[in-house]
Amino acid sequence: KINFNNETYFFKQTDFNTFEYEFSQLKSSVNFNISANDITSKEHRIDVIKVPSILNFELDLKYPKHTFKKNEVISNSGSVTVPEGTIINWKLSTKTTDKIEFITKDTSVNFTKYDTDFKFKQQFFRTTKYQIATHNSNVNNYEKLQYAIETIQDEYPEIHVQSKADTLNSQVIYFLGKLSDDYGLRQLQLKYKKSTDSEYSYQSIPISNSNFHQFTYQFPGNIALEKGVAYNYYFEVSDNDALHNFKTS
């Protein structure tokens, strides 16, 4: 028999002279002794240590302004897919936890502790695999949880242009263009210069800030060209990605 907490339980016989008893899900330390045939053992003790535990897990996602995505909070999941440039704030509610580490392949940074909560903030520009490790005075690296932040790269804007010469005036060219971008367009310019010059001048062409725009343009329009001089020119479109200084195509 085994005696603890003022109660007595019988062992289970597993062999001719082998007996066992299993303590199930102990939540606190316990003293016990064993008795058989009027003989009682000395007192033994099982110490239950308090391990660090995470009770609640939140990710506050602050998306880049140019994506026009509404900020959101993700609960109890450490893996997310976000646009590059997203700022992620972790907030972890814990129990009996002294330290939490944010660990990547190259670095290890401690969360900031606020009573029983821990917080950490970082901006992400590339896909990152990471671990969260919990510690207290009894146990180190008790929970080493594996997660990943998948980032979606902001694409370059696209431009497709068709041209057609005026049948009556070969110096006039008509253009039909289509612009697109994953998050939004910013501006369209015609860049032009004399073939002997080193720097381009430009003329802005009005467009919308939507994801798609179709435009028409008549060259040279109101640009004063010199007769008999060869010119180089092209269209350049930029997107609204301020994080990368407005990418152009």
Side-chain angles (χ1 to χ4, degrees):
K1 294 183 291 186
I2 184 168
N3 312 294
F4 61 92
N5 293 341
N6 297 318
E7 295 183 351
T8 299
Y9 301 90
F10 288 96
F11 278 79
K12 177 182 178 182
Q13 186 170 4
T14 58
D15 202 348
F16 175 72
N17 60 351
T18 304
F19 296 82
E20 68 177 26
Y21 179 82
E22 178 180 326
F23 289 92
S24 178
Q25 297 182 343
L26 285 176
K27 291 182 171 48
S28 58
S29 300
V30 61
N31 297 318
F32 69 94
N33 59 46
I34 298 170
S35 60
N37 299 326
D38 297 327
I39 299 175
T40 301
S41 72
K42 67 177 182 179
E43 191 169 81
H44 300 276
R45 179 177 176 83
I46 298 174
D47 285 319
V48 176
I49 61 174
K50 294 181 179 180
V51 297
S53 59
I54 297 174
L55 305 179
N56 191 51
F57 197 124
E58 285 186 356
L59 271 63
D60 185 357
L61 309 179
K62 297 188 181 300
Y63 297 119
K65 290 183 178 180
H66 75 274
T67 66
F68 301 109
K69 288 177 64 70
K70 185 178 179 180
N71 296 337
E72 60 182 321
V73 175
I74 304 297
S75 296
N76 297 318
S77 176
S79 294
V80 291
T81 300
V82 297
E84 63 172 331
T86 297
I87 297 174
I88 302 180
N89 290 275
W90 279 262
K91 180 182 177 182
L92 277 60
S93 298
T94 66
K95 183 179 180 181
T96 60
T97 302
D98 297 329
K99 184 175 77 170
I100 296 180
E101 287 181 278
F102 182 92
I103 304 170
T104 64
K105 180 181 178 181
D106 304 316
T107 61
S108 175
V109 182
N110 290 341
F111 279 63
T112 302
K113 187 176 182 181
Y114 300 89
D115 195 16
T116 59
D117 290 342
F118 289 81
K119 294 181 181 181
F120 177 70
K121 179 172 72 173
Q122 185 163 313
Q123 188 173 26
F124 289 87
F125 291 95
R126 66 179 186 273
T127 293
T128 303
K129 294 182 179 180
Y130 72 97
Q131 296 176 328
I132 286 182
T134 57
H135 311 262
N136 68 11
S137 57
N138 297 314
V139 184
N140 284 321
N141 294 320
Y142 176 69
E143 289 182 302
K144 215 165 189 179
L145 307 172
Q146 309 272 352
Y147 300 108
I149 305 298
E150 299 283 344
T151 57
I152 302 171
Q153 300 298 305
D154 192 306
E155 300 293 338
Y156 277 77
E158 293 187 5
I159 178 170
H160 301 278
V161 179
Q162 295 176 326
S163 63
K164 185 177 181 180
D166 191 306
T167 55
L168 300 178
N169 184 352
S170 61
Q171 301 300 311
V172 175
I173 303 176
Y174 298 98
F175 292 94
L176 173 64
K178 294 182 179 180
L179 313 173
S180 62
D181 186 68
D182 46 2
Y183 291 115
L185 301 163
R186 180 171 179 263
Q187 70 178 10
L188 174 65
Q189 294 179 335
L190 173 71
K191 299 289 185 75
Y192 63 94
K193 72 179 183 68
K194 296 177 183 178
S195 58
T196 55
D197 289 346
S198 58
E199 294 185 3
Y200 280 87
S201 299
Y202 70 88
Q203 184 176 74
S204 295
I205 302 171
I207 60 172
S208 70
N209 298 124
S210 63
N211 300 76
F212 177 83
H213 183 84
Q214 182 171 288
F215 73 94
T216 57
Y217 186 79
Q218 176 186 320
F219 182 84
N222 58 4
I223 300 174
L225 302 182
E226 295 183 23
K227 290 185 178 181
V229 175
Y231 282 82
N232 298 330
Y233 61 92
Y234 64 91
F235 294 97
E236 182 180 85
V237 62
S238 62
D239 66 10
N240 63 356
D241 182 7
L243 292 173
H244 294 96
N245 199 28
F246 309 112
K247 301 187 303 298
T248 61
S249 297

